[in-house]
Amino acid sequence: QVQLVESGGGLVQPGGSLRLSCAASGRIFSIYVMGWYRQVPGKQRELVATMTSGGGTNYADSMKGRFTISRDNAKNTVYLQMNSLKPEDTAVYYCNADLRPCITTVQNICVMGPKGDYWGQGTQVTVSS
């Protein structure tokens, strides 16, 4: 029932910018942490940035200062603003959420399911001349 959908990826020249979006949909009680990870083929998936529902952030050192994560809790959406992009940033970027779903609703009250980790399908970012 819960789905994460990324958008905003594409081809950009070195030094350019992109803004990624990820919207969570479905029956959700609460989203505790949302964030971004990236992966190059044949390499381990790595942290980009995360943000808690209260606004706390965590960035990978190599991206801090260039990337900015933000979150709209009312829309269950997280964003990643990427500036000064480098060819080394080329990867598939995945949205992640730590959340508790509603398995159903009874009289407009959420019947909670177990807390779990959810992933989007990924969006390709390519930085090249």
Side-chain angles (χ1 to χ4, degrees), residues 23 30 47 96 102:
S30 184
L47 167 74
N96 173 263
C102 302

Side-chain angles (χ1 to χ4, degrees), residues 100-121:
R100 185 179 293 275
C102 302
I103 57 174
T104 188
T105 58
V106 178
Q107 297 179 346
N108 295 321
I109 297 175
C110 171
V111 179
M112 293 179 290
K115 185 179 179 182
D117 198 48
Y118 292 80
W119 292 91
Q121 79 289 344

Side-chain angles (χ1 to χ4, degrees), residues 20-35:
L20 306 183
S21 300
C22 172
S25 62
R27 295 179 299 195
I28 300 169
F29 174 74
S30 184
I31 304 178
Y32 307 103
V33 182
M34 296 189 78

Side-chain angles (χ1 to χ4, degrees), residues 40-63:
V40 176
K43 304 296 182 181
Q44 186 176 0
R45 188 172 299 184
E46 65 175 344
L47 167 74
V48 176
T50 62
M51 177 174 278
T52 68
S53 60
T57 59
N58 182 35
Y59 292 92
D61 289 341
S62 63
M63 299 143 205

Side-chain angles (χ1 to χ4, degrees), residues 1-114:
Q1 185 67 39
V2 175
Q3 186 178 22
L4 304 181
V5 179
E6 302 101 331
S7 62
L11 176 64
V12 65
Q13 293 185 344
S17 299
L18 285 174
R19 184 175 176 85
L20 306 183
S21 300
C22 172
S25 62
R27 295 179 299 195
I28 300 169
F29 174 74
S30 184
I31 304 178
Y32 307 103
V33 182
M34 296 189 78
W36 295 92
Y37 295 75
R38 69 185 187 186
Q39 188 168 26
V40 176
K43 304 296 182 181
Q44 186 176 0
R45 188 172 299 184
E46 65 175 344
L47 167 74
V48 176
T50 62
M51 177 174 278
T52 68
S53 60
T57 59
N58 182 35
Y59 292 92
D61 289 341
S62 63
M63 299 143 205
K64 194 171 185 177
R66 298 189 299 123
F67 294 2
T68 303
I69 190 170
S70 60
R71 181 171 170 175
D72 186 337
N73 292 331
K75 296 181 179 179
N76 288 339
T77 299
V78 65
Y79 307 92
L80 184 69
Q81 179 67 47
M82 303 186 294
N83 298 326
S84 301
L85 283 163
K86 306 173 182 179
E88 306 92 89
D89 295 318
T90 296
V92 177
Y93 285 71
Y94 294 92
C95 179
N96 173 263
D98 178 26
L99 60 84
R100 185 179 293 275
C102 302
I103 57 174
T104 188
T105 58
V106 178
Q107 297 179 346
N108 295 321
I109 297 175
C110 171
V111 179
M112 293 179 290

